[in-house]
Each structure stands twice: as C-alpha cells, then as structure tokens.
C-alpha cells in the first residue's frame, strides 16, 4: 500500500464493500496512519450528521430535482 489510502478505497472500506486482504490492509494501515484514520473518522462524523438530518419536504425535493 502506498503512503496513504486513496479516497475511493477508504470509502469502500467505510461502506463495508472491501473483501479479504484489501480489508485487512486498510484496517492495518488505519492503525498505523493518523492522517488516514482522521479522514475515516471524518467520514463517520459526516454520515452521523446526514443520518440526523430531516428529509426535505416533497415540494422542496421537487424544486431541487428541477435545478
């Protein structure tokens, strides 16, 4: 693995979409690399914020889809 995990692979790991040795490699890297661990934690915080948001009303949703 290079110096850092690329964003796509980190998101795949976060979403549980990696398998086998790729999962192990990313997990081991996160234990050793504070920078990548920080990015992983930021994804976790962002997901928690989004999960707590109120969905847009149907009228607003329609306006957003038209733009």
């Amino acid at each position: 693995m290079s110096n850092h995990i690329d964003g796509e692979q980190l998101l795949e790991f976060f979403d549980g979409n990696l398998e086998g040795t790729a999962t192990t490699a990313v997990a081991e890297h996160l234990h050793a690399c504070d920078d990548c661990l920080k990015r992983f934690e930021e994804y976790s915080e962002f997901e928690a914020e989004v999960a707590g948001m109120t969905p847009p009303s149907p009228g607003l949703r329609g306006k957003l889809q038209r733009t």
Side-chain angles (χ1 to χ4, degrees), residues 7-24 26 40 47:
E8 183 177 336
Q9 189 175 31
L10 189 58
L11 284 173
E12 291 293 320
F13 177 81
F14 181 81
D15 290 336
N17 294 330
L18 291 182
E19 297 181 9
T21 58
T23 299
T24 303
V26 171
F40 181 81
E47 184 175 76

Side-chain angles (χ1 to χ4, degrees), residues 21-61:
T21 58
T23 299
T24 303
V26 171
E28 288 175 356
H29 184 87
L30 290 174
H31 285 289
C33 180
D34 289 337
D35 291 336
C36 290
L37 181 59
K38 181 179 179 194
R39 287 176 37 226
F40 181 81
E41 290 170 345
E42 288 170 352
Y43 291 150
S44 297
E45 291 169 7
F46 178 74
E47 184 175 76
E49 286 179 31
V50 170
M53 294 175 74
T54 303
S57 68
L60 177 59
R61 187 177 300 125

